[in-house]
Amino acid sequence: MVNEEQTLSKKHKILAFTLILLTFVMGTSEFVIVGLLTEVSTSIGISIATAGTLVSGFAIAYAIGTPLVTGLVSRFPKYPLMLGLIAIFILGNMISALSSTYVVLMGSRIMTAVVSGVLTALSMSIANTVIPKEKRTTIIASIFAGFTIANVMGVPLGTMIGQWSNWHMTFWLTALLGSVVFIISMFVLPKRLSGEYGSLSDQLSLLKQPKVILAFLIPIFTIAGTYTIYTFITPILENKLGVPTKYIAIVLLIYGFFSIFSNVLAGKIAQRNGLSKLRYIFIIQAVILFSFYFTMSSLWLGLLSILLMAVLLYAVNATIQLYFMDLAEEYSPSAKDFASSLTPVAVNVGIALGAAIGGFVITSGNLEYLALAAATLALIASAITFMSYRRQSNDPH
C-alpha cells in the first residue's frame, strides 16, 4: 500500500489536478448552453428549436473535427500546443460572450468544440505518458470525471449566473476559468514532451484495424443506451413518476452526483483486463435500463432505476481509452494522440444516437418503450465487447 502511494508524486498529483480542472472548464463551456437556451433564443431573436442546434452543432463539430485536427497537430511539442489550444478555447468563449447573432455564436461554439476535443485527447495522452502505469487507470478516469463534475457544479452555477444577469456573463465566466487553467498550465505541464511524427494518413490508417473499429463501437452503443432514456428524463419524471416540476432540478443534481461514482467504477474496471469485465457490466446495464419498463409507474422504484443508470453511465471510459492507446502503440505509435481522441468522439456520437433513437421511439409509442430500446442498445454493446475481447485474446499481436 505504501508503494502505491509513493508511485504518485506531488508533481503527478498537481498535473492530474490541472488536467481535471481543464476538463471541468471545457465541460462547463459545452453543457451550460442547455440551461440557457430560453435566454439565448430570446436575446438573439431565434426559436428554441434553432437555439437547440447550438447543442447539436457543438456535438457534430466535436465528433468530426476532433480526430482530424488531432491528427494534424499531434506532431507538435505538447507544451506549446496545449497552451496555444487553451488560448484558443479562451478566445472562443470570449467570442461567445460578445455574440449578438446566431451565426457568430454558432461559429464560436464550433471553434470551442474542436479545440475542446483536441485538448481532451492531448490530456489523455499526456497522462498516459507521464503518470506511472499502475496509476494511469485511476488518473484517466479522474480526468473524465471533470466533465461529470461540470454537469453537477459548473452547469448549475453557469445557468444561475445567466438567469440572474445575462447569458453573456456565463461565457465570460468560462473564459475567466480558462484563463486560470492557462496560468496554472504554464507552470505544471511537462515541457519536454515531443510530438508524434506521422502523416495524417498514417494516423487515420489506425481506423483500418478491425480491433479499433470494434472498440470505437463499444462506447457508442453503451452511451446511446443511457441517453435514449436520459434525453427524455424530464418528461419521464413529470409524466410517469409524478415528480413536481420544482423538484426536477434536485433529481438531476442527485443523478449528477451518482454519475461521479461511475468514474470511480470506471477506474476499478480498467485495472486488470477491463475489456473482459465490460462484457458483463453492459448486461447489468441492460437489465437496469429494461427495469424502467416496470418502474416508470412507481416513484421510488423509478428513481432507483435512474440512480443505478447513473452509476454505470461512464463505466466504459477508462478501459476503452487505455485500450485505444495500447492499440495505437501496437499498430501505429505515431497515432497515439489520434487514438486518444476516439473515446470522447465515440461518446458524443453515442449521445446523438441515443437522443435520435429516443425521439423516434417517443413519436411512435409510449415512454415505457424507451426502456426496451435502451436495453437493446446496451446488449449490442455487450455483444460487440464479447467480439472485441475474443479477437484480442485470440490475436494478441
Side-chain angles (χ1 to χ4, degrees):
M1 186 73 177
V2 175
N3 256 352
E4 284 188 2
E5 288 300 323
Q6 288 177 343
T7 57
L8 205 59
S9 67
K10 184 177 180 182
K11 189 175 181 180
H12 289 143
K13 290 177 181 178
I14 294 172
L15 173 62
F17 169 79
T18 303
L19 297 177
I20 293 167
L21 182 60
L22 175 60
T23 54
F24 166 77
V25 176
M26 292 190 298
T28 301
S29 176
E30 175 179 358
F31 303 132
V32 75
I33 193 75
V34 174
L36 299 171
L37 285 185
T38 302
E39 288 76 13
V40 170
S41 64
T42 302
S43 172
I44 61 180
I46 58 176
S47 67
I48 285 288
T50 303
T53 61
L54 295 168
V55 178
S56 56
F58 189 104
I60 293 168
Y62 195 114
I64 296 174
T66 296
L68 293 176
V69 176
T70 301
L72 287 170
V73 304
S74 61
R75 69 193 68 183
F76 300 112
K78 296 287 193 301
Y79 181 78
L81 179 59
M82 285 285 288
L83 291 181
L85 290 170
I86 295 171
I88 296 173
F89 171 82
I90 296 167
L91 177 62
N93 280 273
M94 291 174 67
I95 294 173
S96 293
L98 294 168
S99 297
S100 57
T101 67
Y102 170 78
V103 172
V104 174
L105 184 55
M106 176 60 88
S108 67
R109 294 289 290 167
I110 290 172
M111 180 172 76
T112 307
V114 175
V115 171
S116 294
V118 179
L119 280 169
T120 301
L122 293 175
S123 296
M124 299 298 172
S125 180
I126 289 171
N128 186 60
T129 303
V130 175
I131 301 296
K133 190 170 183 179
E134 63 271 23
K135 286 291 185 179
R136 67 176 187 161
T137 56
T138 303
I139 297 304
I140 284 175
S142 299
I143 294 171
F144 273 119
F147 291 107
T148 309
I149 298 168
N151 266 319
V152 176
M153 297 174 59
V155 172
L157 175 62
T159 301
M160 187 169 60
I161 290 172
Q163 291 172 344
W164 284 356
S165 179
N166 59 69
W167 64 269
H168 301 277
M169 287 301 298
T170 299
F171 287 105
W172 283 119
L173 171 66
T174 53
L176 175 63
L177 292 174
S179 301
V180 171
V181 174
F182 181 89
I183 293 169
I184 296 174
S185 297
M186 287 176 62
F187 300 99
V188 172
L189 291 178
K191 295 181 174 62
R192 295 176 183 173
L193 285 181
S194 60
E196 300 290 347
Y197 290 92
S199 67
L200 181 59
S201 60
D202 287 341
Q203 301 194 54
L204 290 174
S205 69
L206 193 64
L207 296 177
K208 295 178 182 177
Q209 300 296 333
K211 289 182 186 177
V212 176
I213 297 298
L214 282 174
F216 187 71
L217 292 174
I218 292 170
I220 289 177
F221 281 97
T222 179
I223 296 296
T226 296
Y227 272 81
T228 297
I229 290 176
Y230 183 70
T231 303
F232 303 96
I233 196 71
T234 298
I236 289 172
L237 290 170
E238 291 178 339
N239 302 333
K240 288 296 181 180
L241 301 187
V243 176
T245 302
K246 62 182 178 180
Y247 294 124
I248 298 293
I250 296 174
V251 174
L252 295 180
L253 183 64
I254 296 172
Y255 175 93
F257 275 113
F258 270 76
S259 69
I260 293 176
F261 292 109
S262 182
N263 291 281
V264 177
L265 179 63
K268 300 292 184 184
I269 292 171
Q271 293 170 358
R272 292 181 293 277
N273 207 349
L275 207 59
S276 173
K277 300 170 193 170
L278 283 178
R279 297 177 297 171
Y280 305 104
I281 291 293
F282 296 145
I283 294 175
I284 295 171
Q285 180 194 19
V287 171
I288 292 170
L289 295 174
F290 181 67
S291 73
F292 275 98
Y293 188 81
F294 305 99
T295 61
M296 276 192 198
S297 56
S298 167
L299 173 61
W300 295 110
L301 290 177
L303 290 175
L304 178 61
S305 292
I306 288 171
L307 297 182
L308 289 174
M309 180 175 75
V311 171
L312 291 185
L313 176 58
Y314 297 120
V316 68
N317 283 356
T319 295
I320 291 298
Q321 184 68 31
L322 292 168
Y323 186 45
F324 276 136
M325 290 189 282
D326 289 342
L327 289 175
E329 188 72 47
E330 182 180 336
Y331 292 112
S332 180
S334 65
K336 283 189 287 188
D337 291 347
F338 176 80
S340 296
S341 74
L342 294 179
T343 301
V345 168
V347 167
N348 274 271
V349 173
I351 291 172
L353 177 64
I357 290 175
F360 174 78
V361 170
I362 282 182
T363 58
S364 57
N366 297 320
L367 285 170
E368 286 90 345
Y369 294 153
L370 290 173
L372 305 182
T376 301
L377 290 166
L379 288 176
I380 293 173
S382 177
I384 295 172
T385 309
F386 268 96
M387 294 166 58
S388 189
Y389 177 71
R390 184 178 302 166
R391 181 176 285 271
Q392 181 69 358
S393 300
N394 293 342
D395 182 23
H397 302 294

